[in-house]
Amino acid sequence: MSQKKEFISTRRGVTYLDLFAGAGGFSEGFLQAYTDDKYFDFRLASDINKNCELTHKVRYNKMLGLDTKFICQDIMDDTFLSNLLKELGNQRIDVVTGGPCCQSFSLAGRRKKLDKRDDLFYHYLKVIKTLRPKYFVMENVKGILTKDEGRIKERILREIRSIVDDMKMSLLYGFLEENVKNKIDESLYSCLFLRLSMESSESDLTKINELFFDNLDRQFRNLTRNLEYSVSKSDESVNTIRHGLLLLQMKEQRDEIRKQVIQLKTVTHIDNDTFVNGYNSLIETISDEQILEKTIDAVDIVANMGGCLEESKVMKKSLEILTCSFDECIDFIKEIFAGNSKLIDGLECVLKEVRLYNIDEPIVLLSSNFGVPQNRERVVFIGCRNDQKMITDIPPTVSESERVKVYEALWDLDMVGNGETVTEYRNANVIQAYEKEKKRRTVQGQPNDNGMLFSEWSRAGRLGHRFIFDTDPFYVTNLDELGQAHKHVQMKLFNHQTSQQNETVRRRLQIIAKHGGYDKSKFELKTNGLESQKRNYVVLNPLGQSPTVCTMPDDFIHYSACRPMTVREMARLQSFDDSFVFQGKRQTGGNNRQKEIPQYTLVGNAVPPLMARAIAETLLNHIK
């Protein structure tokens, strides 16, 4: 066991698991975090990719000696949740983190319509509903706030607020019986009551669903009672309602078809081609929203035919309730109470007990505010269980003038040549004009004369207060080599390798670096016959912070060496310790990046550990 006894013996472990773990940015930051009386006890991580699993097992199981488990499985798989519960056994989990894959929400590049990854939030929250941790954190790109004109953000907030405390639902049922039942149609009330009952994990969903559709069938008969028999059997609108009810009832089958089609779209990369509209149309056709829309339109037509307008209002609202979230059902109840502040206040009091999680608004974080030499904006949704303190902010650890600069992070790594692999620290290319920018700092970035340089923290590591390594850092190619000690490659410095570039590429990068970007250098590039189809080069500013670290190595040009960045340099910009070894292939091309998750992708997709540490310490300071 590599944890220091004097550290853990005086503190209580807060159990923690990390979903969509990737390289382990969240995990790394949470293991660094602690208070005088608490620390995070890392129990389990999961991701779909084998190289993520390999990186985790080397870091946390081999190097740090933890017994943290890893599930390598798609969270959308039907067996994921049961496998998770099996691995956890009787353990209670206090905190869950996760960054459901955010590429489809990103402001950079095209946003794919009906991307498989858009459903990952639902599956993440499915885990939350089952484990019911004290806190959970969902991380994503800032673009999620504006996706679908803000509807995705609102959907997430509603889903979080719709997680209920099973033990308190009787309070809501009693309130409805006393204050709602006598105010609306009996059949509509029954649908509302049944829909709210579906939220309880202790409910018999099959039975409730059957009762709900029995109610809709009775409403349908009332709606068509004035129609001639031949019309009721052959009219298009009548049949649309009849078949719409059947389709809505077969939600499980439709969801499976939708899942398979979206999976097919994802693995065959259908996007921006002549196939995409047809596949999207199929997925939309079997969606709740489109079936509901067509069925409700048909209800209006049939109501006019048979003169049953009141019956149509009841049926339309019942259909809407079927596909409403818990939170949307509450909005409907508030509409019933419109103008009666006493009843609305009474409902709010009940909801404070019934809602299992409180959340205000998503929090926008800038990584450079937490000692990271990178201006990476991320959004976090923090769900706070109703017996815990609300968290509405993550306090910055450095002011704007104190932020860590690129030169501070990278200066000692500027000693690798073209097509070279450096495996130990050696004399670097020191730039005297920038030396005054180097500051001694605390681990979280605050200037402090008794602290260390950012580069020194990176070399020494930020886990020394808690861990002694069980084994020195090492690199392996795959999971098979992990169990073969003779294949463990050890060195002083890992992941510091550059590609072999020809003279043309090197001259192009030198010109772009000289002018500070591709657009500014177009004339000289054209004059020298060095134009390129690639235009999105960013020349790093040594006296500022880097832009968001990405997954493509040649997007950034080193501020003085005029070359792409190494994996280790990218990891420094993310605030990973040098002892954190990124496993597997350094890079792969094209669509292989999605399957193999090379080192550059591991780094670029990660949550910066120092930002994760700030989130973790906020949680520790609030958790009961």
Side-chain angles (χ1 to χ4, degrees), residues 35-48:
T35 60
D36 289 341
D37 61 343
K38 292 186 286 290
Y39 69 95
F40 278 106
D41 180 9
F42 187 19
R43 304 313 307 154
L44 183 144
S46 80
D47 201 281
I48 194 173

Side-chain angles (χ1 to χ4, degrees), residues 154-171:
E154 288 305 316
R155 172 191 158 198
I156 293 169
L157 291 173
R158 282 191 178 277
E159 289 293 337
I160 292 171
R161 291 169 180 147
S162 294
I163 302 173
V164 301
D165 187 339
D166 292 338
M167 304 298 291
K168 304 290 181 65
M169 281 296 283
S170 60
L171 296 175

Side-chain angles (χ1 to χ4, degrees), residues 288-475:
D288 284 347
E289 292 77 13
Q290 194 159 120
I291 295 171
L292 187 67
E293 181 182 342
K294 290 180 181 298
T295 305
I296 287 176
D297 287 345
V299 169
D300 281 332
I301 294 172
V302 172
N304 287 326
M305 289 167 52
C308 296
L309 298 182
E310 288 304 314
E311 290 82 351
S312 71
K313 291 178 183 177
V314 170
M315 188 167 191
K316 286 193 295 182
K317 179 52 72 172
S318 296
L319 284 166
E320 289 173 5
I321 285 172
L322 176 63
T323 55
C324 280
S325 67
F326 174 89
D327 204 48
E328 288 166 333
C329 289
I330 297 301
D331 286 347
F332 171 54
I333 296 170
K334 289 179 179 178
E335 289 175 14
I336 298 170
F337 293 160
N340 191 328
S341 58
K342 184 178 179 181
L343 283 179
I344 291 176
D345 290 344
L347 177 62
E348 289 294 348
C349 287
V350 172
L351 290 175
K352 284 182 180 179
E353 298 291 323
V354 171
R355 293 192 200 276
L356 190 60
Y357 289 98
N358 295 315
I359 185 168
D360 184 15
E361 284 290 321
I363 305 167
V364 179
L365 302 178
L366 181 64
S367 59
S368 56
N369 287 337
F370 305 100
V372 182
Q374 175 192 180
N375 284 324
R376 185 188 194 98
E377 279 192 308
R378 283 297 183 268
V379 171
V380 291
F381 295 79
I382 301 181
C384 314
R385 206 170 68 187
N386 58 19
D387 60 342
Q388 302 293 315
K389 296 179 182 178
M390 273 277 282
I391 295 176
T392 58
D393 186 33
I394 308 297
T397 62
V398 296
S399 67
E400 184 175 351
S401 63
E402 296 170 339
R403 291 172 182 168
V404 179
K405 297 180 173 62
V406 166
Y407 184 76
E408 293 183 78
L410 301 182
W411 71 274
D412 62 321
L413 296 177
D414 187 8
M415 40 66 169
V416 59
N418 184 44
E420 184 181 11
T421 300
V422 176
T423 60
E424 59 184 3
Y425 299 99
R426 60 192 192 193
N427 292 335
N429 176 31
V430 174
I431 301 177
Q432 289 299 328
Y434 303 152
E435 281 292 289
K436 63 179 181 296
E437 302 298 333
K438 287 155 58 174
K439 294 183 176 65
R440 294 196 172 278
R441 300 175 178 272
T442 65
V443 66
Q444 199 74 62
Q446 299 99 328
N448 187 302
D449 291 340
N450 296 319
M452 295 196 293
L453 302 178
F454 184 92
S455 55
E456 292 173 337
W457 277 116
S458 299
R459 289 195 191 197
R462 299 172 176 89
L463 290 170
H465 60 280
R466 176 174 172 182
F467 292 96
I468 299 171
F469 287 171
D470 269 8
T471 181
D472 289 335
F474 64 90
Y475 167 81

Side-chain angles (χ1 to χ4, degrees), residues 375-592:
N375 284 324
R376 185 188 194 98
E377 279 192 308
R378 283 297 183 268
V379 171
V380 291
F381 295 79
I382 301 181
C384 314
R385 206 170 68 187
N386 58 19
D387 60 342
Q388 302 293 315
K389 296 179 182 178
M390 273 277 282
I391 295 176
T392 58
D393 186 33
I394 308 297
T397 62
V398 296
S399 67
E400 184 175 351
S401 63
E402 296 170 339
R403 291 172 182 168
V404 179
K405 297 180 173 62
V406 166
Y407 184 76
E408 293 183 78
L410 301 182
W411 71 274
D412 62 321
L413 296 177
D414 187 8
M415 40 66 169
V416 59
N418 184 44
E420 184 181 11
T421 300
V422 176
T423 60
E424 59 184 3
Y425 299 99
R426 60 192 192 193
N427 292 335
N429 176 31
V430 174
I431 301 177
Q432 289 299 328
Y434 303 152
E435 281 292 289
K436 63 179 181 296
E437 302 298 333
K438 287 155 58 174
K439 294 183 176 65
R440 294 196 172 278
R441 300 175 178 272
T442 65
V443 66
Q444 199 74 62
Q446 299 99 328
N448 187 302
D449 291 340
N450 296 319
M452 295 196 293
L453 302 178
F454 184 92
S455 55
E456 292 173 337
W457 277 116
S458 299
R459 289 195 191 197
R462 299 172 176 89
L463 290 170
H465 60 280
R466 176 174 172 182
F467 292 96
I468 299 171
F469 287 171
D470 269 8
T471 181
D472 289 335
F474 64 90
Y475 167 81
V476 288
T477 305
N478 52 52
L479 282 165
D480 290 337
E481 293 182 357
L482 186 57
Q484 304 175 55
H486 66 283
K487 292 190 175 181
H488 296 183
V489 179
Q490 294 184 322
M491 56 188 79
K492 299 294 184 182
L493 178 62
F494 291 86
N495 307 122
H496 200 39
Q497 176 185 353
T498 58
S499 300
Q500 181 70 48
Q501 295 178 318
N502 60 39
E503 185 60 29
T504 298
V505 174
R506 293 168 68 185
R507 286 178 59 209
R508 179 184 297 126
L509 295 184
Q510 287 168 357
I511 292 172
I512 294 171
K514 180 177 70 174
H515 291 279
Y518 189 91
D519 288 342
K520 297 176 182 178
S521 59
K522 280 194 290 188
F523 178 77
E524 186 172 348
L525 290 171
K526 186 175 183 178
T527 302
N528 289 276
L530 295 173
E531 290 178 292
S532 170
Q533 292 297 314
K534 179 179 173 62
R535 304 296 173 92
N536 57 328
Y537 295 99
V538 174
V539 182
L540 289 177
N541 174 14
L543 303 183
Q545 291 73 45
S546 81
T548 299
V549 167
C550 52
T551 60
M552 302 295 291
D554 54 354
D555 279 4
F556 286 179
I557 299 177
H558 192 279
Y559 57 86
S560 67
C562 303
R563 56 164 174 77
M565 307 288 284
T566 68
V567 171
R568 180 50 52 199
E569 288 169 324
M570 293 289 219
R572 283 274 188 97
L573 295 179
Q574 283 276 61
S575 73
F576 279 98
D577 291 348
D578 287 2
S579 62
F580 193 107
V581 184
F582 296 89
Q583 308 292 334
K585 294 182 179 180
R586 189 169 69 95
Q587 60 181 318
T588 55
N591 292 325
N592 285 335

Side-chain angles (χ1 to χ4, degrees), residues 3-62:
Q3 296 193 77
K4 295 179 178 179
K5 289 182 179 179
E6 61 270 25
F7 178 86
I8 61 174
S9 64
T10 58
R11 294 173 174 85
R12 180 176 65 83
V14 175
T15 54
Y16 156 71
L17 68 81
D18 189 9
L19 304 176
F20 307 97
F26 257 133
S27 309
E28 194 73 6
F30 271 60
L31 287 175
Q32 292 177 23
Y34 66 98
T35 60
D36 289 341
D37 61 343
K38 292 186 286 290
Y39 69 95
F40 278 106
D41 180 9
F42 187 19
R43 304 313 307 154
L44 183 144
S46 80
D47 201 281
I48 194 173
N49 186 264
K50 289 287 184 184
N51 201 30
C52 297
E53 179 181 14
L54 176 62
T55 300
H56 265 253
K57 285 186 172 179
V58 171
R59 179 67 171 177
Y60 301 117
N61 299 132
K62 294 292 186 179

